[in-house]
Amino acid sequence: MLFNSGEFLIFLTVVWVLHWWIVPRSERWQNALLLAASLVFYALSDLQFLALLLASSLINHALALHLVRLPEGRARSTWFWLGVSFNLGLLIYFKYANFFVEAMAQMFASMGLASGGFVLAVLLPLGISFYTFQMLGYLINVQHEEIDPCKNRLNFLTYVFFFPKILAGPIERAQHFLPQIEVPRVLDPELISDGLRQILWGLFAKVVIADELGPYIDTVFGAPDAHGSGTILGAVMLYIVQIYCDFSGYSNIALGVAKLFGIRLVINFAYPLFAVDISDFWRKWHVSLTSWMIDHVFTPLSFILRDMGKRGLVIAISVTFFCVGIWHGANWTYVVFGILQSIYFIPLAVGAGIGRASVNSSTALLPAPGRALRMLGMFVLMSFTFALLRAGSLGSMANIYQSMVINFPLNSGKQWSTMPLARDLILYIIVLLCVEWIQRGKEHGLVWERLRVPKLVRFAVYLVIAQLVIWKSGMGNNFIYFQF
Amino acid sequence: MSVGRLVLNAFYFCLLLLVFNLVSIAITRSLLLRTDLTFPTGTNTLVLGDSQVEWAVNDSLIPRTVNLAQGGEAYLYSYAKAKHFFEANPDLDTLWLSFNYMALDHVQDTLTRSDRYIKFKLPFNFFLLDATDACIFLGLPKAYITLAQTPFIRWGFIRKAVRGPTNYKDLNFGGYSGTTEQKLKKDLSVRANEQKLGTTRPPEFGAARDQVEYLQRTIDLCRANGVTCILLNTPVHPVAQKGSDTTAYYAYIQQHFPDQPFFDHSSWQFPDSCFRDAVHLNAHGATRYTTRLEKLRSKGWPTLDRQGRTPEERDNAVQQQ
């Protein structure tokens, strides 16, 4: 069931009414309802793996409780690593087994050996990357005694399966989520109103921009040879806009839906298209993944390698971005994606340039020319790198860049632009960028605090966006990040 | 903000959205209904149905005929079109209605009720439907969303209609569109694979309830208006014919429409170069087929056998044998 479908609207309305008006206002009943709704939601999306995820959650729950009962020492460490291996094993099997088998077969074939015709066709459970990282983070936090394990199984399962985030995050921390559901939630009209606005903004980005960009980008990436350089360049630049609108749209809807139930999820995007450098970008893009990687990969690694000085830092950064890359899936494009990110990052880290104030902290209407140039440079660099996530293989990526050069009008006689983008779509993208620029210090584009906008105008804005979403909603297009 | 205020705001918001959509749909409908549906003087034949006739009958080669068939068209829409065009064109005396081997197969009701076809068909045909016809969509959420999207989808038409008069050609109602695509080889290999794997779905001819109902209604409508309704089965590739449940098809006609004029041209011999795929003619095939149709019409439609032979041709063939 997709967030941008009519079925979800009906499902959400029913669960919301039940949550606030039918079930007793105790955390037990509220959580039981949310868990039941979440299980139904997941079952409707991917029934075949529901039992697996349920079993895995119960194992993690029991394991965490067992860990704290053990004294510090080898036994506890063994159980902890067993838990880590279990979670990683599931992820590796479902996400990377096909890749490894194919790679081995290719290697054997290149050595002139028969692979025995062994073929593995493992299906990917929806949301497994997000789910596994959540479980791993929980176990690590319990092991390091940063949190107490959740004793209440109902609360724990609600944390794991909470439907707004189960399929594509954000990767929620137990210490942030659990305290919110351990007390009865009170209906807060302000929070609900904010949630509704956030959902609307998410739908605008997803339905009006990302879904509309999809066919254009698919056409160009599908047959780059047939298009002029300008069109290919446009598609490469627009892909990052598409994936941003798709994923940030999804995240905004997830955060908004959670607010309808009185729960705040972690912010996943902080206007990354306005980033001025690579560290700024990764502080704003898929924040829940980046912060997970920093806490559980980069920090421990740099601690272990601290004696190696800058070399240790370089290794820690490289490993972290390698993990970020392959988190997206099993493909060489993701590996190269991770390597490129670390190449961009290392000079900044070695030169101690991380942690400077980002552009979000300024409230100026227009950026200073220097900053604007850096933002533009960053946007171009990231566009070219993120295109890797869209290209199915390194060969296709090379073909795209090659076509961009070969089809240049002076070389080929082909037109610069062979496929113009719809004018209304350009307008929507400009509107989104302008609104997000103005609202860059806030959680989403429709937060009106400190803006003197009359109520009627706000109402009109909501109506226009809602109408655009109705007009543009197609067949309930999937979210790009579901594949990761 | 109180809970009451929030609920009230949400209510006003939904109400305004609903009113805006109802008004914009009503305006679009009235503009569509203002369209002049009159055909050129002398037109007496209307062609309706799905892609098989859409691509087979080139109405520029056959006088006094307008082809408004369209790929994926359910009989519901053919019926609605026929009703309005009969009203606007009293000279119409013949309707050629597509009736192929799949026409009443149980999957064909998806042409009326599936999300995909609602999205493609409703914005272009909704204004033709009366209350009884529209009841089909009552329980289908996609129909409501599609109706709300209609003013946006028909924006080009609305702009034109506001500026000046429009005619039936502005409605995107279909019509002959010759194709030069070559998909026959691919189609034949897919069919061969299906045959080999045994994945060919058993047809259930006559099981499509909406299709059956609206085919009957169209025939009744023709009778009521003094229009001859001719069921037309256009030429298909021998492989497609072999793969169809022709026994059930002919038995159905025999049982339900024994007196209905039925032109079965499915076995007319055409070379592979005339086919786009196993069941559609390409532009070249359409030219040959339409020319032959016109010749037959000018002869007053002598009774043809399934190979498309006139009684004379058949007798000659028998004598030669």
Side-chain angles (χ1 to χ4, degrees), chain B residues 219 223 228-229 231 253-262:
Chain B
I219 290 169
R223 269 190 208 132
T228 306
C229 178
L231 302 180
I253 293 172
Q254 203 62 42
Q255 191 186 344
H256 294 88
F257 309 117
D259 304 322
Q260 199 63 36
F262 169 49

Side-chain angles (χ1 to χ4, degrees), chain A residues 91-147:
Chain A
L91 185 66
I92 289 168
Y93 174 71
F94 282 109
K95 203 159 179 173
Y96 305 103
N98 288 333
F99 176 73
F100 286 133
V101 169
E102 280 171 27
M104 292 289 274
Q106 273 176 13
M107 197 177 77
F108 284 135
S110 66
M111 289 158 66
L113 299 168
S115 62
F118 179 65
V119 177
L120 200 60
V122 181
L123 294 174
L124 188 66
L126 267 178
I128 187 138
S129 311
F130 299 92
Y131 161 86
T132 307
F133 272 44
Q134 208 171 258
M135 288 297 89
L136 276 172
Y138 174 70
L139 276 186
I140 295 168
N141 288 336
V142 170
Q143 167 70 1
H144 294 166
E145 295 177 353
E146 287 159 358
I147 54 167

